[in-house]
Amino acid sequence: MTRRTDWAEHTDPQGGGHRSGGRPGGAGADADGPWSDDQEGRGGGRRRRRRGGLGGHQDSGSPSSSRAENGEPPTGDPAERARAICLRLLTGTPRTRKQLADALRKRDIPDDVADEVLSRFEEVGLINDEAFADAWVESRHHGRGLARRALARELRTKGVDSALIDEAVGQLDAEQEEATARELVARKLRSTRGLDRDKRLRRLAGMLARKGYPEGMALRVVREALEQEGEDTEDLGYEGL
């Protein structure tokens, strides 16, 4: 299967310069600048303690303080806030455009501003739904044994375009999908020993169904595995599968 997990070299969407490294956008202190969680937590805490000791009021609950604690700049410019939010969310974890758009909407970023910022992030390679879908399929199939149907369902929930989903799950052909199903059954088979045949069949086939494997394939694979263990499956009625 073609591996497509390499991400584009990240470019600073504000300055146009390139940033390198394994974290998108040079994430960390450079990404969030003076508004990073760690810096705000230490500096802001000392300031509040000094005020408290002098009897002054504490402003930890103010909107600007709340934004700073979440990695957002204490500014009224929605574009600056949107960029900071996206960079923070992309730190170490690729996300789809829809995921970021939803996050910006929850933070009351105007739709037109969010669209402009997200488009810029796409231009510089910080958002890449195609690469996201390819990496998701490879990781979830090999790591969790998910079949094409389950993978497509997960990508839809993340807002990936249907055409990109079809292309990504197309990396898995029927033979590879069936081979993975056999591996899953082989690992689970031992734990079902001692149960009656029909219960073993239902448990193993149900496990494959939850991972998105077609019913026909699941029953055929399970039946063949049971036969190899000496189970009589002639009366199961799945000869056509």
Side-chain angles (χ1 to χ4, degrees), residues 19-170:
R19 296 175 183 260
S20 60
R23 307 177 75 182
D30 290 340
D32 290 335
W35 307 291
S36 66
D37 293 344
D38 187 51
Q39 293 172 355
E40 163 64 22
R42 290 198 298 269
R46 286 196 295 270
R47 287 193 295 273
R48 284 193 291 272
R49 283 196 294 273
R50 285 199 297 269
R51 291 193 184 101
L54 296 174
H57 76 280
Q58 298 185 9
D59 62 352
S60 61
S62 66
S64 61
S65 174
S66 177
R67 286 197 297 269
E69 290 172 358
N70 283 283
E72 298 177 37
T75 175
D77 184 357
E80 289 294 331
R81 288 184 57 213
R83 282 191 286 268
I85 292 169
C86 289
L87 288 172
R88 176 171 56 83
L89 292 175
L90 287 168
T91 301
T93 305
R95 298 177 189 269
T96 66
R97 177 169 178 141
K98 181 180 184 301
Q99 288 176 307
L100 293 172
D102 290 344
L104 295 179
R105 191 172 297 111
K106 289 179 181 178
R107 301 296 294 173
D108 298 323
I109 301 296
D111 288 344
D112 58 335
V113 174
D115 187 65
E116 181 179 353
V117 170
L118 293 174
S119 294
R120 177 58 178 158
F121 272 51
E122 282 185 327
E123 290 175 6
V124 300
L126 290 175
I127 302 175
N128 189 330
D129 282 4
E130 180 180 2
F132 179 97
D134 289 346
W136 186 269
V137 167
E138 182 173 350
S139 173
R140 299 285 283 175
H141 179 73
H142 291 292
R144 298 289 302 278
L146 298 186
R148 287 174 290 186
R149 183 168 59 186
L151 292 166
R153 182 170 60 246
E154 289 186 341
L155 289 172
R156 279 194 297 271
T157 65
K158 297 182 180 301
V160 178
D161 182 77
S162 296
L164 296 180
I165 292 175
D166 291 342
E167 183 178 347
V169 300

